[in-house]
Amino acid sequence: MSEQSSGPQVLSPANPGGATDDDGPRQALLAVRNEVAKAVVGQDATVTGLLIALLSQGHVLLEGVPGVAKTLLVRALSAALSLDTKRVQFTPDLMPGDVTGSLVYDAHTSEFSFREGPAFTNLLLADEINRTPPKTQASLLEAMEERQVSVDGVSRQLPTPFLVAATQNPVEYEGTYPLPEAQLDRFLLKLTMPLPGRGEEIEVIRRHAAGFDPRDLAAAGVRPVAGAEDLKRAREAVSAVAVEPEIIGYIVDLVRATRAAPSFQLGVSPRGASALLNTSRAWGWLSGRPFVTPDDVKALALPCLRHRVALQPEAQMDGVRVDDVLGSILASVPVPR
């Protein structure tokens, strides 16, 4: 899988084992891709990655140049899932309270009251997260990990489901604050959104020429086809997906191989191995199987691990790419039969 790939490319709605009680939520979530495609062209793999993150209760780092519809994608996804969404433009002067909320003094009551920040939503789009200082970046850590925010010593629960989709520009470095490795490790997946192919770009321009308004998703025909209850039932079904000991061993072997790779100065942590297990289960369930296969693990390995490793300086100067090294590891680690 190349660095431009954003994850699994094809979903198979077929269920080899016959109809089951979780077929309803599965078909509803599979239908989400068709709804999002009414507004966003050629990003099915990214939508699949976001659905896997929702099923695994994780968060996503979206990387792509400006203008590839990252914001529109999240808005269309929330509309298809009937979930609330908010967007925060991260800037150098953004304060933690601008994200999580803060105490506001009420002159009428002479008391402080809590005003919720944009983090109190289902899908939070953290736009250009690497443009804000580390203090504000870190304000998301508790929200991402604990599903709560603490202000003035009081913890407040965030809505369920809760997903942070943070974007960053891969080609612009001036005036940015790169995310530290410890914070990158908190993201379940790193999905890359490539520029569209010629045919896809023609379709994008054709839609705009026909009057498509990205601010009016209802006019584009995007409608809710799934909801929070479908996600809840789907998560319960994913937790029941079987994982054989050989698959667990395969995941551990892949992770340990990243720590021994000469091109990496930092390998994948045990949290990364757990993330690969959880996403593989979600992918297996979406594919209609009650068990995980080695192909499920391979399909999620790059988006799940690429942001959890760091290249040696010498490898960077030689033009080595993280995805190429991970691809070599996938090809060399024995696959269980």
Side-chain angles (χ1 to χ4, degrees):
M1 195 178 293
S2 71
E3 191 167 347
Q4 291 301 313
S5 173
S6 45
Q9 299 297 314
V10 180
L11 276 178
S12 173
N15 184 7
T20 62
D21 291 341
D22 59 355
D23 265 357
R26 181 188 293 114
Q27 295 305 325
L29 293 181
L30 291 174
V32 167
R33 293 198 314 169
N34 295 330
E35 293 303 308
V36 175
K38 295 176 181 178
V40 182
V41 177
Q43 295 293 350
D44 281 358
T46 306
V47 177
T48 301
L50 287 166
L51 289 175
I52 287 174
L54 282 167
L55 291 172
S56 306
Q57 302 189 63
H59 308 281
V60 172
L61 187 62
L62 293 174
E63 189 170 272
V65 299
V68 291
K70 296 186 289 291
T71 301
L72 179 60
L73 176 66
V74 173
R75 289 183 57 241
L77 180 67
S78 66
L81 286 169
S82 192
L83 298 176
D84 183 43
T85 183
K86 292 178 183 174
R87 174 181 175 272
V88 179
Q89 181 65 50
F90 278 67
T91 57
D93 60 348
L94 195 72
M95 299 297 290
D98 297 329
V99 179
T100 60
S102 57
L103 293 176
V104 178
Y105 181 72
D106 189 335
H108 296 290
T109 62
S110 299
E111 294 180 351
F112 286 92
S113 60
F114 179 70
R115 179 176 296 172
E116 294 182 349
F120 286 82
T121 188
N122 298 124
L123 300 182
L124 176 63
L125 178 62
D127 215 353
E128 294 188 293
I129 190 173
N130 57 337
R131 285 205 170 277
T132 203
K135 182 177 181 180
T136 305
Q137 292 176 359
S139 69
L140 275 178
L141 280 180
E142 183 186 13
M144 292 168 62
E145 196 71 15
E146 306 295 336
R147 264 58 176 187
Q148 67 178 27
V149 298
S150 297
V151 178
D152 197 32
V154 178
S155 297
R156 294 173 171 84
Q157 292 295 318
L158 295 172
T160 301
F162 175 70
L163 178 142
V164 173
T167 73
Q168 63 180 15
N169 184 340
V171 296
E172 198 169 1
Y173 300 104
E174 190 172 342
T176 62
Y177 303 83
L179 293 173
E181 284 75 11
Q183 190 161 348
L184 284 171
D185 201 34
R186 303 298 177 113
F187 285 97
L188 184 72
L189 299 172
K190 179 182 177 181
L191 306 175
T192 58
M193 294 183 65
L195 289 167
R198 183 176 185 275
E200 293 170 339
E201 194 160 6
I202 287 175
E203 175 61 18
V204 170
I205 304 305
R206 186 198 66 76
R207 292 187 182 187
H208 282 277
F212 171 70
D213 183 358
R215 290 171 293 274
D216 190 356
L217 294 176
V222 179
R223 58 187 178 86
V225 292
E229 184 59 31
D230 293 303
L231 280 172
K232 180 181 177 181
R233 291 172 58 194
R235 285 173 174 175
E236 293 171 352
V238 168
S239 67
V241 172
V243 185
E244 296 296 328
E246 293 80 6
I247 297 296
I248 294 177
Y250 180 51
I251 291 173
V252 170
D253 289 342
L254 287 174
V255 167
R256 293 178 66 86
T258 66
R259 302 170 194 162
S263 296
F264 289 154
Q265 62 176 332
L266 176 69
V268 177
S269 69
R271 181 189 285 125
S274 177
L276 184 53
L277 169 65
N278 293 336
T279 55
S280 298
R281 293 175 95 172
W283 176 238
W285 179 82
L286 276 174
S287 301
R289 281 180 279 96
F291 55 87
V292 176
T293 70
D295 285 341
D296 297 331
V297 177
K298 286 184 176 182
L300 272 301
L302 265 65
C304 199
L305 305 181
R306 58 163 63 110
H307 57 297
R308 304 176 192 271
V309 297
L311 287 168
Q312 295 280 7
E314 299 83 2
Q316 292 182 21
M317 290 187 291
D318 290 341
V320 175
R321 300 189 311 168
V322 165
D323 280 17
D324 292 337
V325 179
L326 290 175
S328 298
I329 290 173
L330 285 170
S332 62
V333 173
V335 178
R337 300 297 179 186

